[in-house]
Amino acid sequence: MASENTLKKGNVLIGCDLGISRTNCALCLDFFFNPKAEIIHRGYDRYFGYEMVNIYKNLSDEDKKAMGWDEEFDKNFIKSLKSYGYCMDM
């Protein structure tokens, strides 16, 4: 199992042979929640926005700090989701 810092090191390869969108989900989460992500957003089910908002609402300040969020990133998180067309209840 990879350490919790693997994504931060930038040496991650994610793949899936099952075709059930778990890879897309993982990449989408990394794209939106990792301020240092250097991936291209390819989209995911637009209703996944509800799930991301739920995760966001449950993040503590310590969680955000551990992921490298700053005030600007936090302030623009929901705007970013909306700009990619994700549905949300905010």
Side-chain angles (χ1 to χ4, degrees), residues 44-60:
Y44 191 63
D45 180 327
R46 60 187 246 108
Y47 297 103
F48 191 59
Y50 294 119
E51 300 300 326
M52 288 191 283
V53 169
N54 187 45
I55 293 168
Y56 173 77
K57 286 180 177 180
N58 286 283
L59 291 174
S60 68

Side-chain angles (χ1 to χ4, degrees), residues 22-84:
R22 288 183 184 161
T23 302
N24 293 349
C25 177
L27 292 171
C28 184
L29 288 170
D30 186 41
F31 179 82
F32 282 105
F33 285 90
N34 179 358
K36 296 179 182 172
E38 294 180 7
I39 63 171
I40 298 171
H41 181 263
R42 297 282 188 217
Y44 191 63
D45 180 327
R46 60 187 246 108
Y47 297 103
F48 191 59
Y50 294 119
E51 300 300 326
M52 288 191 283
V53 169
N54 187 45
I55 293 168
Y56 173 77
K57 286 180 177 180
N58 286 283
L59 291 174
S60 68
D61 289 337
E62 290 176 358
D63 295 329
K64 293 173 184 178
K65 183 178 178 183
M67 291 189 293
W69 288 31
D70 60 19
E71 192 174 313
E72 186 72 18
F73 187 83
D74 189 27
K75 183 178 89 171
N76 291 312
F77 182 79
I78 298 299
K79 290 177 190 175
S80 180
L81 291 177
K82 288 180 181 178
S83 75
Y84 281 93

